[in-house]
């Protein structure tokens, strides 16, 4: 069901001739509360159980499918003037994702959610052609970005970054072992390293620009 819904959202966004906003409203309106409930049920969870030790388990596959759906919902957000809660919940409850990333789930899922956070901090809706308003002047987005920034900076201020792995055994065709002669010791996943750095920097930038008092900025 998660894969099907994500595919429908993506195909709707690709259809240039369709009234995308209208289609998305019809699709997401009856599912809004359900999808928000899914977010709470799936991500507010202890991921250190044996169900998530294998990257091929059903539980792991469900997480990957849900990440794909969240990515599709994020991309569809720009089509609507007022986004649904299911399109906002990733920003407003980012702590669920941050806790998941530092858990013992397979590295491939950690990486997927880190890259999803990167898309969140880089997200910009279409500029209003009539008013020429800047993207972050829309109240929901400003509120959402502030919530995401607060969530990220709170965990970074603790020991969250120290709990995030930056490498995994290199994958090769048919094997997860390094090829003969390859030295993979001590190498970091530069994609994840750059994404994490960008998430922290953008959160810090947005929080600083939207802080009112000098102590907040410091």
């Amino acid at each position: 069901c998660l894969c099907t819904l994500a595919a429908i959202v993506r195909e709707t966004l690709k259809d240039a001739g369709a009234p995308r906003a209208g289609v998305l409203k019809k699709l997401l309106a009856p599912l809004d509360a359900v999808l928000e409930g899914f977010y709470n049920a799936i991500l507010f969870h202890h991921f250190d159980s044996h169900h998530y030790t294998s990257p091929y388990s059903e539980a792991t596959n469900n997480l990957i499918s849900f990440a794909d759906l969240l990515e599709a919902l994020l991309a569809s957000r720009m089509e609507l003037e007022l986004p649904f809660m299911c399109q906002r919940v990733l920003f407003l409850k980012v702590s669920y994702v941050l806790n998941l990333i530092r858990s013992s789930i397979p590295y491939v899922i950690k990486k997927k959610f880190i890259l999803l956070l990167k898309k969140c901090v880089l997200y910009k809706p279409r500029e209003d052609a009539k008013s020429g308003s800047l993207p972050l002047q829309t109240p929901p987005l400003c509120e959402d970005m502030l919530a995401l920034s607060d969530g990220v900076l709170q965990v970074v201020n603790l020991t969250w970054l120290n709990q995030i792995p930056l490498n995994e055994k290199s994958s090769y065709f048919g094997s997860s072992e390094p090829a003969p002669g390859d030295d993979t010791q001590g190498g970091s996943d530069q994609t994840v390293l750059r994404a994490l750095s960008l998430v922290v920097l953008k959160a810090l930038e947005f929080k600083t620009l939207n802080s009112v008092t000098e102590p907040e900025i410091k």
Side-chain angles (χ1 to χ4, degrees), residues 5 26 38 54 56 74 86 89 95 114 143 164 175 216:
L5 185 55
K26 286 183 180 180
F38 273 6
S54 169
Y56 308 107
L74 176 65
C86 65
V89 68
S95 60
I114 288 170
E143 178 186 338
I164 312 302
S175 173
E216 274 188 314

Side-chain angles (χ1 to χ4, degrees), residues 45-207:
H45 188 63
H46 297 291
F47 292 98
D48 297 321
S49 72
H50 67 280
H51 297 293
Y52 297 93
T53 54
S54 169
Y56 308 107
S57 69
E58 182 180 0
T60 300
N61 190 51
N62 288 341
L63 270 181
I64 293 174
S65 298
F66 193 60
D68 289 337
L69 177 58
L70 289 174
E71 186 175 346
L73 290 173
L74 176 65
S76 69
R77 177 174 173 148
M78 68 174 60
E79 300 294 334
L80 303 176
E81 187 174 345
L82 290 175
F84 288 102
M85 184 55 69
C86 65
Q87 297 170 305
R88 302 181 60 194
V89 68
L90 179 58
F91 294 82
L92 299 177
K93 297 184 179 180
V94 70
S95 60
Y96 290 15
V97 171
L98 298 172
N99 288 334
L100 179 148
I101 290 171
R102 71 177 172 189
S103 70
S104 60
I105 58 172
Y107 182 79
V108 63
I109 302 181
K110 293 177 188 279
K111 183 171 182 175
K112 192 170 187 67
F113 275 93
I114 288 170
L115 295 178
L116 181 58
L117 285 181
K118 175 187 168 185
K119 290 186 177 182
C120 286
V121 299
L122 293 177
Y123 174 78
K124 287 183 181 179
R126 293 197 185 98
E127 184 175 323
D128 189 333
K130 294 180 181 177
S131 65
S133 61
L134 294 173
L136 287 177
Q137 286 179 343
T138 56
L141 182 56
C142 192
E143 178 186 338
D144 293 355
M145 288 297 291
L146 195 55
L148 185 143
S149 300
D150 283 339
V152 169
L153 294 177
Q154 283 173 14
V155 296
V156 168
N157 197 38
L158 301 173
T159 59
W160 184 78
L161 282 175
N162 296 337
Q163 301 174 53
I164 312 302
L166 288 178
N167 56 50
E168 183 188 41
K169 283 185 176 180
S170 299
S171 294
Y172 292 81
F173 290 108
S175 173
S176 62
E177 299 296 326
D182 279 10
D183 180 16
T184 59
Q185 297 298 317
S188 297
D189 186 331
Q190 296 300 306
T191 301
V192 168
L193 184 59
R194 285 194 297 268
L196 276 173
S197 301
L198 185 62
V199 167
V200 175
L201 286 171
K202 295 297 286 186
L204 191 59
E205 176 191 35
F206 190 78
K207 181 65 176 175

